[in-house]
mmCIF file of all heavy atoms in Angstrom:
data_model
loop_
_atom_site.group_PDB
_atom_site.id
_atom_site.type_symbol
_atom_site.label_atom_id
_atom_site.label_comp_id
_atom_site.label_asym_id
_atom_site.label_seq_id
_atom_site.Cartn_x
_atom_site.Cartn_y
_atom_site.Cartn_z
ATOM 1 N N GLY A 1 -14.149 40.320 120.449
ATOM 2 C CA GLY A 1 -14.406 41.216 121.559
ATOM 3 C C GLY A 1 -13.483 40.982 122.712
ATOM 4 O O GLY A 1 -12.468 40.273 122.600
ATOM 5 N N TRP A 2 -13.854 41.600 123.837
ATOM 6 C CA TRP A 2 -13.032 41.555 125.040
ATOM 7 C C TRP A 2 -13.895 41.258 126.268
ATOM 8 O O TRP A 2 -14.966 41.856 126.435
ATOM 9 C CB TRP A 2 -12.328 42.897 125.247
ATOM 10 C CG TRP A 2 -11.403 43.267 124.147
ATOM 11 C CD1 TRP A 2 -11.708 43.957 123.010
ATOM 12 C CD2 TRP A 2 -10.007 42.949 124.064
ATOM 13 N NE1 TRP A 2 -10.586 44.093 122.232
ATOM 14 C CE2 TRP A 2 -9.530 43.488 122.842
ATOM 15 C CE3 TRP A 2 -9.111 42.285 124.899
ATOM 16 C CZ2 TRP A 2 -8.201 43.371 122.440
ATOM 17 C CZ3 TRP A 2 -7.791 42.165 124.496
ATOM 18 C CH2 TRP A 2 -7.345 42.701 123.279
ATOM 19 N N TYR A 3 -13.402 40.357 127.102
ATOM 20 C CA TYR A 3 -13.902 40.152 128.441
ATOM 21 C C TYR A 3 -12.807 40.616 129.399
ATOM 22 O O TYR A 3 -11.662 40.773 129.015
ATOM 23 C CB TYR A 3 -14.179 38.676 128.707
ATOM 24 C CG TYR A 3 -15.515 38.159 128.237
ATOM 25 C CD1 TYR A 3 -15.767 37.919 126.894
ATOM 26 C CD2 TYR A 3 -16.522 37.866 129.163
ATOM 27 C CE1 TYR A 3 -16.987 37.429 126.474
ATOM 28 C CE2 TYR A 3 -17.751 37.362 128.739
ATOM 29 C CZ TYR A 3 -17.967 37.152 127.401
ATOM 30 O OH TYR A 3 -19.181 36.654 126.986
ATOM 31 N N ARG A 4 -13.187 40.804 130.638
ATOM 32 C CA ARG A 4 -12.187 41.050 131.672
ATOM 33 C C ARG A 4 -12.579 40.327 132.951
ATOM 34 O O ARG A 4 -13.757 40.055 133.202
ATOM 35 C CB ARG A 4 -12.020 42.549 131.942
ATOM 36 C CG ARG A 4 -13.224 43.231 132.582
ATOM 37 C CD ARG A 4 -12.973 44.730 132.690
ATOM 38 N NE ARG A 4 -14.107 45.435 133.302
ATOM 39 C CZ ARG A 4 -14.193 46.750 133.408
ATOM 40 N NH1 ARG A 4 -13.217 47.534 132.950
ATOM 41 N NH2 ARG A 4 -15.255 47.305 133.973
ATOM 42 N N GLN A 5 -11.565 40.028 133.758
ATOM 43 C CA GLN A 5 -11.799 39.356 135.036
ATOM 44 C C GLN A 5 -10.888 39.959 136.087
ATOM 45 O O GLN A 5 -9.658 39.883 135.975
ATOM 46 C CB GLN A 5 -11.553 37.852 134.923
ATOM 47 C CG GLN A 5 -11.939 37.097 136.172
ATOM 48 C CD GLN A 5 -11.996 35.597 135.941
ATOM 49 O OE1 GLN A 5 -11.433 35.072 134.986
ATOM 50 N NE2 GLN A 5 -12.697 34.906 136.808
ATOM 51 N N ALA A 6 -11.515 40.558 137.084
ATOM 52 C CA ALA A 6 -10.783 41.104 138.224
ATOM 53 C C ALA A 6 -10.674 40.034 139.304
ATOM 54 O O ALA A 6 -11.493 39.101 139.336
ATOM 55 C CB ALA A 6 -11.502 42.334 138.756
ATOM 56 N N PRO A 7 -9.705 40.145 140.202
ATOM 57 C CA PRO A 7 -9.545 39.149 141.263
ATOM 58 C C PRO A 7 -10.828 38.980 142.077
ATOM 59 O O PRO A 7 -11.437 39.966 142.501
ATOM 60 C CB PRO A 7 -8.420 39.732 142.123
ATOM 61 C CG PRO A 7 -7.628 40.564 141.185
ATOM 62 C CD PRO A 7 -8.636 41.153 140.237
ATOM 63 N N GLY A 8 -11.252 37.745 142.239
ATOM 64 C CA GLY A 8 -12.434 37.459 143.032
ATOM 65 C C GLY A 8 -13.749 37.749 142.350
ATOM 66 O O GLY A 8 -14.808 37.668 142.982
ATOM 67 N N ARG A 9 -13.712 38.073 141.067
ATOM 68 C CA ARG A 9 -14.944 38.412 140.347
ATOM 69 C C ARG A 9 -15.104 37.514 139.122
ATOM 70 O O ARG A 9 -14.143 36.895 138.647
ATOM 71 C CB ARG A 9 -14.924 39.881 139.927
ATOM 72 C CG ARG A 9 -14.764 40.828 141.101
ATOM 73 C CD ARG A 9 -15.028 42.242 140.710
ATOM 74 N NE ARG A 9 -16.426 42.446 140.345
ATOM 75 C CZ ARG A 9 -16.942 43.630 140.047
ATOM 76 N NH1 ARG A 9 -16.170 44.707 140.059
ATOM 77 N NH2 ARG A 9 -18.207 43.762 139.730
ATOM 78 N N HIS A 10 -16.350 37.453 138.647
ATOM 79 C CA HIS A 10 -16.619 36.684 137.435
ATOM 80 C C HIS A 10 -16.080 37.421 136.213
ATOM 81 O O HIS A 10 -15.932 38.652 136.223
ATOM 82 C CB HIS A 10 -18.132 36.484 137.274
ATOM 83 C CG HIS A 10 -18.737 35.628 138.339
ATOM 84 N ND1 HIS A 10 -18.415 34.296 138.503
ATOM 85 C CD2 HIS A 10 -19.649 35.918 139.295
ATOM 86 C CE1 HIS A 10 -19.100 33.806 139.515
ATOM 87 N NE2 HIS A 10 -19.854 34.769 140.028
ATOM 88 N N ARG A 11 -15.820 36.639 135.178
ATOM 89 C CA ARG A 11 -15.427 37.242 133.912
ATOM 90 C C ARG A 11 -16.634 37.976 133.335
ATOM 91 O O ARG A 11 -17.731 37.425 133.292
ATOM 92 C CB ARG A 11 -14.921 36.160 132.960
ATOM 93 C CG ARG A 11 -14.192 36.665 131.750
ATOM 94 C CD ARG A 11 -13.581 35.525 130.945
ATOM 95 N NE ARG A 11 -12.488 34.862 131.658
ATOM 96 C CZ ARG A 11 -11.652 34.013 131.079
ATOM 97 N NH1 ARG A 11 -11.781 33.736 129.778
ATOM 98 N NH2 ARG A 11 -10.703 33.433 131.783
ATOM 99 N N GLU A 12 -16.421 39.206 132.870
ATOM 100 C CA GLU A 12 -17.521 40.012 132.334
ATOM 101 C C GLU A 12 -17.188 40.521 130.944
ATOM 102 O O GLU A 12 -16.028 40.815 130.629
ATOM 103 C CB GLU A 12 -17.838 41.201 133.248
ATOM 104 C CG GLU A 12 -16.713 42.201 133.406
ATOM 105 C CD GLU A 12 -17.121 43.445 134.184
ATOM 106 O OE1 GLU A 12 -18.303 43.606 134.506
ATOM 107 O OE2 GLU A 12 -16.225 44.284 134.454
ATOM 108 N N LEU A 13 -18.232 40.637 130.123
ATOM 109 C CA LEU A 13 -18.064 41.160 128.777
ATOM 110 C C LEU A 13 -17.825 42.665 128.838
ATOM 111 O O LEU A 13 -18.567 43.395 129.493
ATOM 112 C CB LEU A 13 -19.307 40.869 127.936
ATOM 113 C CG LEU A 13 -19.294 41.389 126.503
ATOM 114 C CD1 LEU A 13 -18.212 40.702 125.681
ATOM 115 C CD2 LEU A 13 -20.664 41.190 125.856
ATOM 116 N N VAL A 14 -16.800 43.110 128.131
ATOM 117 C CA VAL A 14 -16.480 44.531 128.066
ATOM 118 C C VAL A 14 -17.041 45.152 126.791
ATOM 119 O O VAL A 14 -17.716 46.174 126.828
ATOM 120 C CB VAL A 14 -14.958 44.768 128.134
ATOM 121 C CG1 VAL A 14 -14.631 46.252 127.998
ATOM 122 C CG2 VAL A 14 -14.383 44.196 129.429
ATOM 123 N N ALA A 15 -16.720 44.534 125.665
ATOM 124 C CA ALA A 15 -17.177 45.070 124.385
ATOM 125 C C ALA A 15 -17.042 43.993 123.322
ATOM 126 O O ALA A 15 -16.221 43.081 123.453
ATOM 127 C CB ALA A 15 -16.372 46.305 123.984
ATOM 128 N N ALA A 16 -17.854 44.118 122.271
ATOM 129 C CA ALA A 16 -17.810 43.176 121.164
ATOM 130 C C ALA A 16 -18.099 43.916 119.873
ATOM 131 O O ALA A 16 -18.730 44.985 119.875
ATOM 132 C CB ALA A 16 -18.814 42.048 121.369
ATOM 133 N N ILE A 17 -17.645 43.325 118.767
ATOM 134 C CA ILE A 17 -17.859 43.933 117.457
ATOM 135 C C ILE A 17 -17.999 42.827 116.423
ATOM 136 O O ILE A 17 -17.268 41.832 116.458
ATOM 137 C CB ILE A 17 -16.685 44.885 117.112
ATOM 138 C CG1 ILE A 17 -16.926 45.609 115.785
ATOM 139 C CG2 ILE A 17 -15.346 44.153 117.119
ATOM 140 C CD1 ILE A 17 -15.936 46.758 115.532
ATOM 141 N N ILE A 18 -18.966 42.969 115.536
ATOM 142 C CA ILE A 18 -19.125 41.982 114.490
ATOM 143 C C ILE A 18 -18.424 42.458 113.215
ATOM 144 O O ILE A 18 -17.972 43.609 113.139
ATOM 145 C CB ILE A 18 -20.612 41.674 114.210
ATOM 146 C CG1 ILE A 18 -21.361 42.941 113.760
ATOM 147 C CG2 ILE A 18 -21.255 41.036 115.430
ATOM 148 C CD1 ILE A 18 -22.803 42.660 113.343
ATOM 149 N N ARG A 19 -18.345 41.587 112.254
ATOM 150 C CA ARG A 19 -17.534 41.864 111.074
ATOM 151 C C ARG A 19 -17.963 43.139 110.363
ATOM 152 O O ARG A 19 -17.112 43.886 109.864
ATOM 153 C CB ARG A 19 -17.573 40.676 110.115
ATOM 154 C CG ARG A 19 -16.603 40.786 108.950
ATOM 155 C CD ARG A 19 -16.616 39.517 108.136
ATOM 156 N NE ARG A 19 -15.978 38.417 108.855
ATOM 157 C CZ ARG A 19 -16.362 37.150 108.752
ATOM 158 N NH1 ARG A 19 -17.387 36.833 107.987
ATOM 159 N NH2 ARG A 19 -15.722 36.214 109.412
ATOM 160 N N GLY A 20 -19.254 43.435 110.349
ATOM 161 C CA GLY A 20 -19.741 44.629 109.657
ATOM 162 C C GLY A 20 -19.464 45.925 110.388
ATOM 163 O O GLY A 20 -19.648 47.005 109.824
ATOM 164 N N GLY A 21 -19.020 45.827 111.662
ATOM 165 C CA GLY A 21 -18.639 47.019 112.400
ATOM 166 C C GLY A 21 -19.580 47.427 113.509
ATOM 167 O O GLY A 21 -19.262 48.341 114.285
ATOM 168 N N THR A 22 -20.733 46.781 113.629
ATOM 169 C CA THR A 22 -21.640 47.102 114.728
ATOM 170 C C THR A 22 -20.999 46.683 116.046
ATOM 171 O O THR A 22 -20.410 45.612 116.141
ATOM 172 C CB THR A 22 -22.975 46.389 114.554
ATOM 173 O OG1 THR A 22 -23.527 46.750 113.287
ATOM 174 C CG2 THR A 22 -23.954 46.782 115.658
ATOM 175 N N THR A 23 -21.137 47.554 117.045
ATOM 176 C CA THR A 23 -20.467 47.320 118.324
ATOM 177 C C THR A 23 -21.456 47.244 119.476
ATOM 178 O O THR A 23 -22.606 47.677 119.375
ATOM 179 C CB THR A 23 -19.458 48.438 118.629
ATOM 180 O OG1 THR A 23 -20.173 49.690 118.773
ATOM 181 C CG2 THR A 23 -18.437 48.582 117.523
ATOM 182 N N ASN A 24 -20.957 46.700 120.571
ATOM 183 C CA ASN A 24 -21.711 46.631 121.813
ATOM 184 C C ASN A 24 -20.722 46.853 122.948
ATOM 185 O O ASN A 24 -19.683 46.188 122.988
ATOM 186 C CB ASN A 24 -22.392 45.271 121.959
ATOM 187 C CG ASN A 24 -23.153 45.152 123.259
ATOM 188 O OD1 ASN A 24 -23.777 46.099 123.707
ATOM 189 N ND2 ASN A 24 -23.109 43.983 123.873
ATOM 190 N N HIS A 25 -21.026 47.796 123.840
ATOM 191 C CA HIS A 25 -20.145 48.091 124.971
ATOM 192 C C HIS A 25 -20.918 47.938 126.276
ATOM 193 O O HIS A 25 -22.082 48.319 126.363
ATOM 194 C CB HIS A 25 -19.610 49.524 124.895
ATOM 195 C CG HIS A 25 -18.710 49.789 123.731
ATOM 196 N ND1 HIS A 25 -19.202 50.022 122.462
ATOM 197 C CD2 HIS A 25 -17.358 49.846 123.645
ATOM 198 C CE1 HIS A 25 -18.175 50.228 121.649
ATOM 199 N NE2 HIS A 25 -17.055 50.131 122.320
ATOM 200 N N ALA A 26 -20.258 47.412 127.292
ATOM 201 C CA ALA A 26 -20.872 47.325 128.606
ATOM 202 C C ALA A 26 -21.149 48.730 129.143
ATOM 203 O O ALA A 26 -20.400 49.668 128.860
ATOM 204 C CB ALA A 26 -19.945 46.577 129.567
ATOM 205 N N ASP A 27 -22.203 48.849 129.935
ATOM 206 C CA ASP A 27 -22.554 50.159 130.491
ATOM 207 C C ASP A 27 -21.405 50.762 131.296
ATOM 208 O O ASP A 27 -21.222 51.981 131.321
ATOM 209 C CB ASP A 27 -23.795 50.039 131.378
ATOM 210 C CG ASP A 27 -25.059 49.805 130.572
ATOM 211 O OD1 ASP A 27 -25.051 50.072 129.350
ATOM 212 O OD2 ASP A 27 -26.056 49.355 131.165
ATOM 213 N N SER A 28 -20.640 49.918 131.958
ATOM 214 C CA SER A 28 -19.562 50.400 132.829
ATOM 215 C C SER A 28 -18.420 51.056 132.062
ATOM 216 O O SER A 28 -17.606 51.762 132.664
ATOM 217 C CB SER A 28 -19.018 49.251 133.675
ATOM 218 O OG SER A 28 -18.532 48.219 132.841
ATOM 219 N N VAL A 29 -18.346 50.832 130.751
ATOM 220 C CA VAL A 29 -17.235 51.391 129.971
ATOM 221 C C VAL A 29 -17.696 52.304 128.843
ATOM 222 O O VAL A 29 -16.853 52.893 128.155
ATOM 223 C CB VAL A 29 -16.336 50.279 129.396
ATOM 224 C CG1 VAL A 29 -15.838 49.362 130.507
ATOM 225 C CG2 VAL A 29 -17.044 49.482 128.315
ATOM 226 N N LYS A 30 -19.007 52.412 128.659
ATOM 227 C CA LYS A 30 -19.503 53.295 127.600
ATOM 228 C C LYS A 30 -18.969 54.705 127.810
ATOM 229 O O LYS A 30 -18.900 55.194 128.922
ATOM 230 C CB LYS A 30 -21.036 53.296 127.607
ATOM 231 C CG LYS A 30 -21.634 52.134 126.864
ATOM 232 C CD LYS A 30 -23.156 52.192 126.878
ATOM 233 C CE LYS A 30 -23.725 50.994 126.146
ATOM 234 N NZ LYS A 30 -25.215 50.964 126.212
ATOM 235 N N ASP A 31 -18.631 55.386 126.732
ATOM 236 C CA ASP A 31 -18.105 56.757 126.738
ATOM 237 C C ASP A 31 -16.653 56.816 127.194
ATOM 238 O O ASP A 31 -16.069 57.904 127.214
ATOM 239 C CB ASP A 31 -18.941 57.698 127.609
ATOM 240 C CG ASP A 31 -20.391 57.771 127.169
ATOM 241 O OD1 ASP A 31 -20.634 57.731 125.945
ATOM 242 O OD2 ASP A 31 -21.267 57.844 128.043
ATOM 243 N N ARG A 32 -16.081 55.657 127.578
ATOM 244 C CA ARG A 32 -14.659 55.643 127.946
ATOM 245 C C ARG A 32 -13.848 54.688 127.074
ATOM 246 O O ARG A 32 -12.700 54.979 126.733
ATOM 247 C CB ARG A 32 -14.481 55.250 129.418
ATOM 248 C CG ARG A 32 -15.137 56.193 130.398
ATOM 249 C CD ARG A 32 -14.740 55.859 131.839
ATOM 250 N NE ARG A 32 -15.125 54.512 132.231
ATOM 251 C CZ ARG A 32 -14.246 53.575 132.624
ATOM 252 N NH1 ARG A 32 -12.950 53.837 132.645
ATOM 253 N NH2 ARG A 32 -14.689 52.382 132.981
ATOM 254 N N PHE A 33 -14.436 53.535 126.746
ATOM 255 C CA PHE A 33 -13.750 52.526 125.942
ATOM 256 C C PHE A 33 -14.398 52.470 124.563
ATOM 257 O O PHE A 33 -15.616 52.637 124.431
ATOM 258 C CB PHE A 33 -13.877 51.150 126.579
ATOM 259 C CG PHE A 33 -13.125 50.960 127.864
ATOM 260 C CD1 PHE A 33 -12.540 52.021 128.547
ATOM 261 C CD2 PHE A 33 -13.013 49.687 128.417
ATOM 262 C CE1 PHE A 33 -11.864 51.826 129.734
ATOM 263 C CE2 PHE A 33 -12.336 49.475 129.598
ATOM 264 C CZ PHE A 33 -11.762 50.542 130.265
ATOM 265 N N THR A 34 -13.577 52.170 123.554
ATOM 266 C CA THR A 34 -14.083 52.019 122.193
ATOM 267 C C THR A 34 -13.448 50.794 121.555
ATOM 268 O O THR A 34 -12.216 50.680 121.508
ATOM 269 C CB THR A 34 -13.765 53.252 121.337
ATOM 270 O OG1 THR A 34 -14.329 54.421 121.954
ATOM 271 C CG2 THR A 34 -14.346 53.101 119.937
ATOM 272 N N ILE A 35 -14.297 49.906 121.044
ATOM 273 C CA ILE A 35 -13.810 48.727 120.336
ATOM 274 C C ILE A 35 -13.849 49.010 118.847
ATOM 275 O O ILE A 35 -14.749 49.698 118.349
ATOM 276 C CB ILE A 35 -14.636 47.476 120.696
ATOM 277 C CG1 ILE A 35 -13.968 46.215 120.166
ATOM 278 C CG2 ILE A 35 -16.071 47.588 120.196
ATOM 279 C CD1 ILE A 35 -14.587 44.915 120.686
ATOM 280 N N SER A 36 -12.852 48.478 118.145
ATOM 281 C CA SER A 36 -12.805 48.612 116.690
ATOM 282 C C SER A 36 -12.095 47.390 116.126
ATOM 283 O O SER A 36 -11.504 46.613 116.885
ATOM 284 C CB SER A 36 -12.084 49.906 116.274
ATOM 285 O OG SER A 36 -10.735 49.898 116.730
ATOM 286 N N ARG A 37 -12.155 47.218 114.809
ATOM 287 C CA ARG A 37 -11.475 46.081 114.206
ATOM 288 C C ARG A 37 -10.987 46.433 112.821
ATOM 289 O O ARG A 37 -11.542 47.310 112.151
ATOM 290 C CB ARG A 37 -12.380 44.852 114.190
ATOM 291 C CG ARG A 37 -13.593 44.948 113.297
ATOM 292 C CD ARG A 37 -14.508 43.734 113.493
ATOM 293 N NE ARG A 37 -13.945 42.518 112.921
ATOM 294 C CZ ARG A 37 -14.441 41.295 113.142
ATOM 295 N NH1 ARG A 37 -15.505 41.144 113.918
ATOM 296 N NH2 ARG A 37 -13.899 40.230 112.575
ATOM 297 N N ASP A 38 -9.962 45.704 112.406
ATOM 298 C CA ASP A 38 -9.425 45.796 111.057
ATOM 299 C C ASP A 38 -9.578 44.409 110.444
ATOM 300 O O ASP A 38 -8.806 43.495 110.769
ATOM 301 C CB ASP A 38 -7.957 46.235 111.102
ATOM 302 C CG ASP A 38 -7.350 46.443 109.733
ATOM 303 O OD1 ASP A 38 -7.822 45.814 108.763
ATOM 304 O OD2 ASP A 38 -6.390 47.202 109.617
#
């Protein structure tokens, strides 16, 4: 998955995906970001 850290802010989870393909996206990026894996 992916975390991000902006200046002066804590690191936050953006999105994650397990091997079978199930995903989880932070509310702040839902409908805009998509995680995938090969």
Side-chain angles (χ1 to χ4, degrees):
W2 298 89
Y3 276 75
R4 67 185 180 186
Q5 187 167 19
R9 302 192 67 175
H10 294 296
R11 194 173 292 193
E12 63 173 354
L13 179 65
V14 177
I17 184 169
I18 60 174
R19 188 175 289 146
T22 303
T23 64
N24 178 39
H25 295 79
D27 288 342
S28 59
V29 305
K30 277 181 181 176
D31 302 323
R32 299 189 300 120
F33 291 10
T34 302
I35 191 170
S36 61
R37 67 187 288 169
D38 184 334

